[in-house]
Amino acid sequence: MCQDFNLSFFCQREPNSTSPFPLNPPNFAMSYFTMTFGILSNLIGLAIVSASYTRFHHRAKTPFLLLAATLLMSDLAGHLVTGAFALHLHLGRVKRQRVASREASEPPQVFCKLFGACMVFFGLTPLLLGSAMAVERCMGIRQPLQHSAVATTAHIRHCVLLLITMAFTLAALPLFNVGTYAPQFPGTWCFLPVHGALSSADAGLALAFSSLGLAALTVSVLCNAVSGLTLLQARFNNQGGKLTASRRRRSSMSSGHLLDVEMMVQLVVITVVSSVCWSPFLIYISMSVRQFYRGDTDPDPQYKQLLLLGLRMASWNQILDPWVYILLRRAVLQRVCGMLWPSRVIFSHSSSCRSSERPEIHLH
């Protein structure tokens, strides 16, 4: 989603006007900083994931890294595309203000349709990819043999293509006059209508968007919970002395266990970030559409501000996602654990995160 909606703090409605105008020319410094920071973050995250993909090629971590790379590329593309659309609208408003134009003005219909389609597509795609990552890890931890047969590179690419097609189909329907995209308060972005007298197509598309997003978050939470419980159970079993294999075999299993833990920590943080950033926006859309179905077509103006606030929260998801891979790498986690527990051996040479001392890592 767009990272430049912080500029809309400078916009409010004029009396007897159907379109908001900036009181003063907005300061674009924060917007440019946010865009630059988001782009650099996603590029660094992609570089780290690409390096890991090369290192773990043909190993069990490959499907996870392929999905992660697709997620970061989606975040980067959404960051650039929707940011460019939003900046275009803001610059147009500043230009109109400088020529003292007070006439009501809305974005061109074609522009608004493209903007809205990008908002829906780049908003829904990361949520679907996050749920796919959670399902892949859950299968890899609980059903390793089935995972090796099912989660091949070809199957993962087909899954990514299917999820992207699903998001693209929903986003493209209004372009073929199935529903519409409309300017949203304060006139600086376009999206599916969620307030007022909606058509059946508009209400259905908005409800489909929120339902798919919430379903993706729910699947991620459930799969992560199952995977976490499985890892905890394996940990307790190891501590209880139930494994009677040789010390070398225990070292290999511990190594694989730590690799699973590393991926799970990253995935859990991604899910938490996505849930915190996206849940208010998705839930509010669902509540607004349900109000329409109950016959309430005259919402309080404050509801539009709440929708904008939810969008601002959702826009940070694209910026925070890459930092999961930047900060929660194995080497970083090892250093953090060393600082937190300096007198305790957290990672031994036989089972540590120093995977460079082991030519092979066995996940299962």
Side-chain angles (χ1 to χ4, degrees):
M1 304 292 284
C2 179
Q3 70 281 0
D4 299 298
F5 294 109
N6 56 322
L7 294 178
S8 55
F9 278 116
F10 295 93
C11 298
Q12 70 179 31
R13 292 188 177 274
E14 292 283 344
N16 302 322
S17 173
T18 59
S19 179
F21 294 91
L23 293 178
N24 296 301
N27 183 4
F28 290 96
M30 179 59 70
S31 179
Y32 288 137
F33 169 77
T34 306
M35 174 178 284
T36 303
F37 180 71
I39 292 172
L40 291 177
S41 299
N42 279 279
L43 289 176
I44 294 173
L46 275 172
I48 292 174
V49 171
S50 299
S52 299
Y53 182 84
T54 302
R55 178 183 176 187
F56 289 96
H57 195 52
H58 298 310
R59 299 182 184 179
K61 195 176 181 180
T62 299
F64 179 83
L65 292 175
L66 184 59
L67 290 170
T70 307
L71 173 64
L72 291 179
M73 286 189 289
S74 173
D75 284 340
L76 178 61
H79 199 78
L80 289 171
V81 174
T82 58
F85 277 123
L87 281 177
H88 177 77
L89 287 181
H90 283 295
L91 291 173
R93 287 186 173 280
V94 173
K95 182 178 179 180
R96 287 193 298 271
Q97 186 188 27
R98 287 176 177 173
V99 299
S101 174
R102 286 307 194 188
E103 61 183 6
S105 177
E106 290 186 350
Q109 186 177 8
V110 174
F111 179 88
C112 195
K113 283 186 175 182
L114 292 176
F115 193 0
C118 290
M119 294 285 286
V120 171
F121 176 76
F122 289 113
L124 193 58
T125 299
L127 297 176
L128 296 176
L129 290 174
S131 65
M133 292 170 66
V135 172
E136 185 273 334
R137 273 299 82 209
C138 185
M139 180 182 297
I141 292 173
R142 292 188 59 85
Q143 301 291 337
L145 296 179
Q146 185 178 359
H147 174 268
S148 300
V150 174
T152 62
T153 301
H155 289 166
I156 292 298
R157 288 175 178 170
H158 291 158
C159 176
V160 169
L161 181 61
L162 176 62
L163 296 178
I164 291 177
T165 302
M166 184 186 304
F168 179 81
T169 301
L170 182 63
L173 285 177
L175 301 180
F176 298 95
N177 297 322
V178 181
T180 59
Y181 288 115
Q184 302 294 325
F185 175 83
T188 55
W189 59 295
C190 298
F191 196 68
L192 297 167
V194 296
H195 295 114
L198 306 176
S199 67
S200 299
D202 289 337
L205 287 176
L207 191 59
F209 176 84
S210 62
S211 298
L212 280 175
L214 291 172
L217 290 176
T218 302
V219 169
S220 299
V221 171
L222 292 178
C223 289
N224 288 339
V226 172
S227 300
L229 291 175
T230 303
L231 291 176
L232 286 177
Q233 184 180 8
R235 176 71 174 176
F236 292 149
N237 290 342
N238 289 339
Q239 290 180 347
K242 294 183 180 181
L243 295 178
T244 59
S246 66
R247 183 175 181 178
R248 183 177 180 181
R249 178 173 176 80
R250 288 200 306 269
S251 174
S252 176
M253 293 183 66
S254 180
S255 168
H257 177 77
L258 288 173
L259 188 59
D260 278 339
V261 170
E262 178 191 10
M263 289 187 287
M264 276 303 306
V265 169
Q266 293 175 345
L267 187 55
V268 167
V269 174
I270 288 176
T271 303
V272 171
V273 169
S274 298
S275 299
V276 172
C277 292
W278 274 102
S279 292
F281 187 66
L282 296 173
I283 292 174
Y284 181 76
I285 291 176
S286 180
M287 293 174 59
S288 298
V289 174
R290 289 196 175 109
Q291 284 184 345
F292 163 74
Y293 282 125
R294 289 198 299 264
D296 185 4
T297 59
D298 188 20
D300 192 304
Q302 187 178 5
Y303 290 168
K304 299 180 180 180
Q305 297 178 357
L306 292 176
L307 182 66
L308 180 63
L309 178 61
L311 178 67
R312 290 181 182 137
M313 294 180 62
S315 67
W316 276 93
N317 185 65
Q318 291 175 334
I319 300 176
L320 297 177
D321 270 350
W323 285 97
V324 173
Y325 303 100
I326 296 173
L327 297 178
L328 299 182
R329 290 175 292 147
R330 186 179 295 198
V332 175
L333 292 176
Q334 182 181 4
R335 292 174 185 173
V336 171
C337 291
M339 290 186 296
L340 293 178
W341 298 282
S343 60
R344 182 177 176 184
V345 179
I346 303 298
F347 301 106
S348 65
H349 287 282
S350 61
S351 62
S352 72
C353 292
R354 299 173 186 174
S355 56
S356 60
E357 300 178 3
R358 298 185 304 271
E360 295 291 335
I361 296 179
H362 305 283
L363 274 176
H364 310 293

